[in-house]
Amino acid sequence: MQGFLENFGGMSLGILGAGLAVVLAGIGSAKGTGMAGEAGAGLLCEDPSKFGKVMILQVIPGTQGIYGFVVGFLALMFMGVLDGTAVGMSITEGFRYFVACMPIALGGWISAIAQGRVAVAAINILAKKPDDWAKGMILCITVEFYAILSLLVSVFILLYI
Amino acid sequence: MSIVRMKKISLIAVRSQKDALLRDLQSLGCVEFSEPEPVAEDAELHDLIARETSELEKYRSDQAGLIRGLMLLDRYAPEKSGLFEPRQEITESALLDESGAAGALALAERLEHLDGQLKRLSVLETQHKSLLESLEPWKELTIPLDCNGTEKTAVVLGTLPAGADPEAVGGILTAAAPEAALLAVSSSKELHYLVLICLKEKLPEALDALRACGFAPSPLKDLVGTAEANMEHTRQRLQEMADEKQELYRQIEAEAPRKNELKRCIDLLAAKIARAEAAERLLGTERAVLLSGWVPAPEEPKLLEVLSKYDCAWSTADPAPEEYENVPVKLKNNALTAPLTMVTEMYSLPSYDGVDPNPLMMPFFVLFYGFMMADAGYGLIMILAALLVKRKKPRGGAKNFFDLLLMCGISTLLFGIVTGGFFGDALKQIFGLFGKTFTLPYTPLFDPLNDTQLVLVGALALGGFQVLVGMAVSFIKQTADGHFLDALFDVGSWWLLFAGIALGALGVTWWVAVAGVAALVLTQGRSKPTIIGKLASGIGSLYNITGYFGDILSYSRLMALMLAGGVIAQVFNTLAALTGNIVTFFLIFLVGHALNLGLNLLGCYVHDLRLQCLEFFGKFYKDGGRPFSPLKFNTKYTTITK
């Protein structure tokens, strides 16, 4: 047991963090794009010609999943999982990678759901006032900023610890 | 590059020339018609003057019919067309030529009639299809469907639930009516289809017994002959209807070449509607009409030249300051600042006595955009896309959009060169694929990921500069309006404080900052009536320091977006290079960068917009202007060539 923890404990923690960054941010994005997609499908029943705009609004909450993936990938790369040098990583170091992944995991998760709600509302704008749909898009992007901040802090921790 | 000076115009013309005058004014496109003032209270005048009427409603309904016709053509005979198809060009006299209008209206009517027939056929088709479905289970039945028995026997068609056992039901039936027979015709997943034959006098007993088992009579009304024959007939009818529909489709499609005729007529009616709307804003007497409205001062000579051809009297005057809120606003811009109208309009136009923000905002908007994107590759794509679309001569909002894209693309390209970013670190990765190392032929000024603090300080410094410019504009504007002391107190005190903080931080002296605080406390409450009130709001105003602090910190988003875009680009490049193969590299590269580019284009625009509208405009902008909307040609499908 002691030997296992020494050889793989740090790496496991790091990989757990990378996984959570991808999965939690992904869950958020899946929920966000899911909500927006449902609302969009309702609108498309009435007016299929709005597909392009509906799709843009739907994919906006999808970016958090990408951010999570970016951080997860960077973490795996820096840990050396991709070239097999991660074995034997100390627990302290593994825990650092775990912590580095948390900002985007949590920030991405929750901001994507919040953004999905705004996207649903923006699809309402698109249905009722089609000329003003760009304003709905702007409201969506406002939420995006906090996911970007989470992404940056995760990357900073990865780069500078 | 400013807000155009407007003049108020009042004009009286003779009624017989009204239509010609309106047409000339529309061609000129520089007069906005105001809502007329309420007709004088004087009862005598009241009877003489009335608002003009027009055939506006008729034009609108005609136009709506044409638009429906065009939509039908688009639906049944769709044409492949690009997003920025150039419009058909037409001269003004050709557009206003009414000779083709009757034909276009008749065409629209015909199209609607054909569409009505198609809809009717579709309904019939559905009815026949459901009939076919309901006949399907009785296909095997050889008794005619209209047969309800012989002299002594009754015949009843009906169904039993699939769960019922026909033999058990048969037993129950025999007990109630010994001579009755239940013949199975067919079965589906839900139901058994059966025929009950029994003596007429025993029918009630037989039905009662069967109902208890779930039997439901299902008569097929109004059908003569066997199910098979009926189905054959229905199929034939369906075929006929399909042919008929094909024929109707063909007839609609045959009209597709006349689309342009419809479009031209829609634009003709749009011109007539605009004129009618203007005419309804006139006041008229028996012989004369009265116009009141606005004309931009630089266009006045042109207008007067046109008016001199008519028998009319007019006067123009500058608006009085108390009228400013009613004066329409027109921005005069050059090629460099016009694209920013997009941003200004999304926020709100400046009021007539405000400042045109476009020239002030232009350098900042473009600079910030480049700062946030900062990638030579993305910049090149933006420039190429803008140039490609501009070749098709987009107009209005689309033209502004692509001009802005071009300017921001150039700025993005320049920042990309400065930071050494070309699709992130694509060159390094591609060279790495072939086992070589890539070095830029020059040293980038800074590298966002390694000089993060420098980028952050740079972003905040740019922000601080923009905030100061905003305050300077406010200072100049207030001074020009004759409120020099207000400008000095409201802006000057803050500058004194900022300078003081800077000096203090540099270790020179804190006394200037103290003087700034004192100036704020003493001046910011000057509008309050009591001494205590003055002091209280003076001290309260110091709280605004957090506002300035927050405004400048907000510019840290410039750094955040620059770095985020760069990091994502690099991750996609690394991921692509992991495959070790140039083909898969480019596949992943394309998808990844398309995503990142789209995301950044939108994100940078929105955050740039926010910085301008909130942090910058907040310092000097007075909004609430009403856009100038003169009587002109507002064509949708055609471009008028003189």
Side-chain angles (χ1 to χ4, degrees), chain B residues 207-479:
Chain B
L207 281 180
D208 281 345
L210 284 175
R211 273 204 195 98
C213 306
F215 182 83
S218 58
L220 292 158
K221 280 195 190 107
D222 304 330
L223 291 176
V224 182
T226 60
E228 184 72 60
N230 271 298
M231 284 173 77
E232 188 52 37
H233 176 69
T234 311
R235 279 200 205 96
Q236 243 171 30
R237 280 289 297 140
L238 275 171
Q239 184 57 45
E240 280 166 28
M241 279 185 253
D243 291 346
E244 217 171 313
K245 269 173 105 172
Q246 278 304 320
E247 171 61 20
L248 287 171
Y249 281 137
R250 208 190 50 70
Q251 284 185 21
I252 295 181
E253 275 164 24
E255 304 293 2
R258 293 178 69 187
K259 242 183 218 180
N260 279 340
E261 209 176 305
L262 285 181
K263 287 181 177 171
R264 207 166 61 222
C265 194
I266 290 174
D267 277 353
L268 164 65
L269 278 165
K272 286 169 86 169
I273 288 172
R275 228 152 46 214
E277 277 171 350
E280 291 199 349
R281 293 186 164 185
L282 299 174
L283 289 177
T285 64
E286 198 186 335
R287 296 278 163 84
V289 287
L290 170 71
L291 178 165
S292 58
W294 300 98
V295 57
E299 317 231 16
E300 201 185 342
K302 257 193 339 192
L303 172 67
L304 299 191
E305 194 184 316
V306 169
L307 291 183
S308 62
K309 287 191 293 183
Y310 292 93
D311 303 320
C312 57
W314 70 82
S315 70
T316 57
D318 286 318
E322 59 270 19
E323 280 180 306
Y324 279 172
E325 59 180 301
N326 295 323
V327 185
V329 172
K330 185 182 174 191
L331 299 178
K332 182 170 180 290
N333 283 299
N334 58 28
L336 275 180
T337 59
L340 273 303
T341 310
M342 225 179 111
V343 178
T344 313
E345 277 175 357
M346 188 168 263
Y347 185 70
S348 165
L349 278 179
S351 68
Y352 184 64
D353 54 346
V355 182
D356 176 7
N358 290 1
L360 297 166
M361 174 170 62
M362 198 282 284
F364 288 113
F365 190 94
V366 174
L367 180 78
F368 290 172
Y369 202 96
F371 195 99
M372 288 188 272
M373 287 282 267
D375 189 293
Y378 293 168
L380 280 178
I381 291 185
M382 288 161 71
I383 294 172
L384 281 180
L387 288 180
L388 270 182
V389 177
K390 272 171 75 68
R391 275 179 50 201
K392 293 200 176 176
K393 298 200 173 61
R395 307 169 61 80
K399 179 178 187 309
N400 282 345
F401 177 81
F402 286 101
D403 282 343
L404 193 60
L405 186 69
L406 180 64
M407 296 197 298
C408 292
I410 294 172
S411 147
T412 304
L413 174 66
L414 292 180
F415 267 99
I417 294 172
V418 168
T419 60
F422 181 81
F423 294 107
D425 56 353
L427 291 176
K428 191 180 122 200
Q429 299 283 4
I430 294 174
F431 274 75
L433 274 183
F434 297 106
K436 297 187 181 120
T437 44
F438 171 77
T439 40
L440 275 175
Y442 62 96
T443 326
L445 270 186
F446 59 91
D447 171 20
L449 278 178
N450 290 326
D451 306 319
T452 322
Q453 285 186 357
L454 182 71
V455 177
L456 179 61
V457 172
L460 296 184
L462 276 178
F465 178 62
Q466 196 186 22
V467 168
L468 286 182
V469 169
M471 293 173 79
V473 173
S474 167
F475 188 93
I476 294 169
K477 176 70 187 157
Q478 288 194 42
T479 311

Side-chain angles (χ1 to χ4, degrees), chain A residues 6-160:
Chain A
E6 268 166 20
N7 275 332
F8 299 107
M11 189 178 78
S12 309
L13 263 179
I15 291 179
L16 180 63
L20 282 179
V22 182
V23 169
L24 287 188
I27 288 176
S29 276
K31 276 198 164 183
T33 51
M35 279 189 274
E38 280 175 34
L43 170 57
L44 290 183
C45 295
E46 301 279 317
D47 185 359
S49 68
K50 294 207 175 96
F51 178 70
K53 290 167 184 171
V54 167
M55 200 189 67
I56 291 179
L57 289 173
Q58 194 205 349
V59 298
I60 290 177
T63 50
Q64 280 85 346
I66 301 177
Y67 297 159
F69 169 75
V70 164
V71 168
F73 177 79
L74 281 179
L76 292 178
M77 194 170 73
F78 291 158
M79 276 189 284
V81 174
L82 299 181
D83 51 13
T85 53
V87 180
M89 181 191 286
S90 75
I91 298 221
T92 325
E93 199 173 343
F95 195 63
R96 277 190 195 144
Y97 282 108
F98 181 85
V99 169
C101 291
M102 283 306 106
I104 189 60
L106 299 178
W109 176 25
I110 292 173
S111 73
I113 295 173
Q115 201 176 29
R117 295 224 174 89
V118 184
V120 170
I123 285 172
N124 266 327
I125 300 182
L126 180 59
K128 288 176 188 155
K129 293 254 161 78
D131 290 341
D132 288 326
W133 80 284
K135 292 173 182 156
M137 194 167 71
I138 289 175
L139 300 183
C140 285
I141 298 292
T142 312
V143 186
E144 183 81 20
F145 188 58
Y146 301 96
I148 294 181
L149 292 184
S150 303
L151 164 71
L152 276 184
V153 168
S154 279
V155 171
F156 284 159
I157 303 177
L158 281 175
L159 283 178
Y160 298 119

Side-chain angles (χ1 to χ4, degrees), chain B residues 137-138 140-141 158 166 181-187 192-196:
Chain B
W138 304 106
E140 310 288 324
L141 189 67
L182 199 56
L183 308 174
V185 180
S186 67
S187 294
H192 296 294
Y193 297 87
L194 308 157
V195 184
L196 166 71

Side-chain angles (χ1 to χ4, degrees), chain B residues 4-23:
Chain B
V4 178
R5 216 157 53 83
M6 287 285 164
K7 283 198 154 184
K8 194 174 186 177
I9 180 168
S10 308
L11 180 147
I12 298 178
V14 291
R15 173 170 294 282
S16 58
Q17 292 177 344
K18 180 179 109 176
D19 290 335
L21 177 64
L22 281 177
R23 189 174 289 201

